[in-house]
């Protein structure tokens, strides 16, 4: 579209043709675009799902001696799967943000039912 002489889209003409890895806009959608808005909406939605998962852990888990609430993966899976089928993905995201802790890289239903998930 940048080279199209019939295109009247001024947004395309004002942007550099190539971005490089050091550029802060590299790998990001154009500001104000619908793609950027969809990304922001998805980020907000995932944040709400992580928050809801933490609330479920708090309500179903038990407070340990250290004051943290813990629950087994099996118990959490059975409770949370009725809310969302993305339990493991949301758990991984919550761990990435430092909200929960559990051993191992991935949790599997049945195999890891006894793994303790701690709400930080």
């Amino acid at each position: 579209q940048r080279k199209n002489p019939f295109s009247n889209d001024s947004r395309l003409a004002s942007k550099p043709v190539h971005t490089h890895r050091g550029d802060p806009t590299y790998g990001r959608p154009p500001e104000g675009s619908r793609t950027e808005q969809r990304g922001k909406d998805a980020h907000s939605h995932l944040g709400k799902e992580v928050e809801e998962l933490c609330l479920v852990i708090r309500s179903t888990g038990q407070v340990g001696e250290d004051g943290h609430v813990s629950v087994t993966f099996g118990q959490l899976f059975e409770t949370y799967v009725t809310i969302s089928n993305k339990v493991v993905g949301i758990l991984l995201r919550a761990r990435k943000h430092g909200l929960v802790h559990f051993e191992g890289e991935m949790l599997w239903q049945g195999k890891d039912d006894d793994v303790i998930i701690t709400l930080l």
Side-chain angles (χ1 to χ4, degrees):
Q1 284 293 344
R2 289 186 216 295
K3 297 178 183 179
N4 184 348
F6 304 107
S7 177
N8 292 328
D9 195 346
S10 61
R11 293 179 304 155
L12 295 174
S14 66
K15 292 188 188 143
V17 176
H18 297 287
T19 57
H20 302 285
R21 287 188 187 242
D23 188 357
T25 62
Y26 180 78
R28 301 228 179 249
E31 284 189 45
S33 67
R34 288 192 283 168
T35 302
E36 180 189 40
Q37 187 58 47
R38 282 191 297 268
K40 288 179 180 179
D41 292 345
H43 183 75
S44 173
H45 178 74
L46 284 172
K48 290 176 187 172
E49 286 204 32
V50 168
E51 188 177 315
E52 186 174 8
L53 176 74
C54 291
L55 290 173
V56 169
I57 292 172
R58 183 173 285 126
S59 66
T60 59
Q62 297 180 8
V63 180
E65 295 173 6
D66 59 357
H68 293 296
V69 178
S70 297
V71 65
T72 62
F73 175 65
Q75 183 182 1
L76 179 64
F77 189 89
E78 291 301 319
T79 304
Y80 196 77
V81 79
T82 59
I83 300 168
S84 173
N85 61 351
K86 302 176 289 255
V87 179
V88 176
I90 297 169
L91 268 173
L92 292 174
R93 187 170 182 95
R95 178 169 68 178
K96 179 181 175 183
H97 290 284
L99 300 173
V100 298
H101 173 74
F102 55 89
E103 295 296 322
E105 288 191 34
M106 181 65 79
L107 296 173
W108 303 98
Q109 183 185 11
K111 177 183 163 220
D112 295 319
D113 283 351
D114 296 329
V115 172
I116 304 294
I117 298 168
T118 306
L119 185 62
L120 304 174

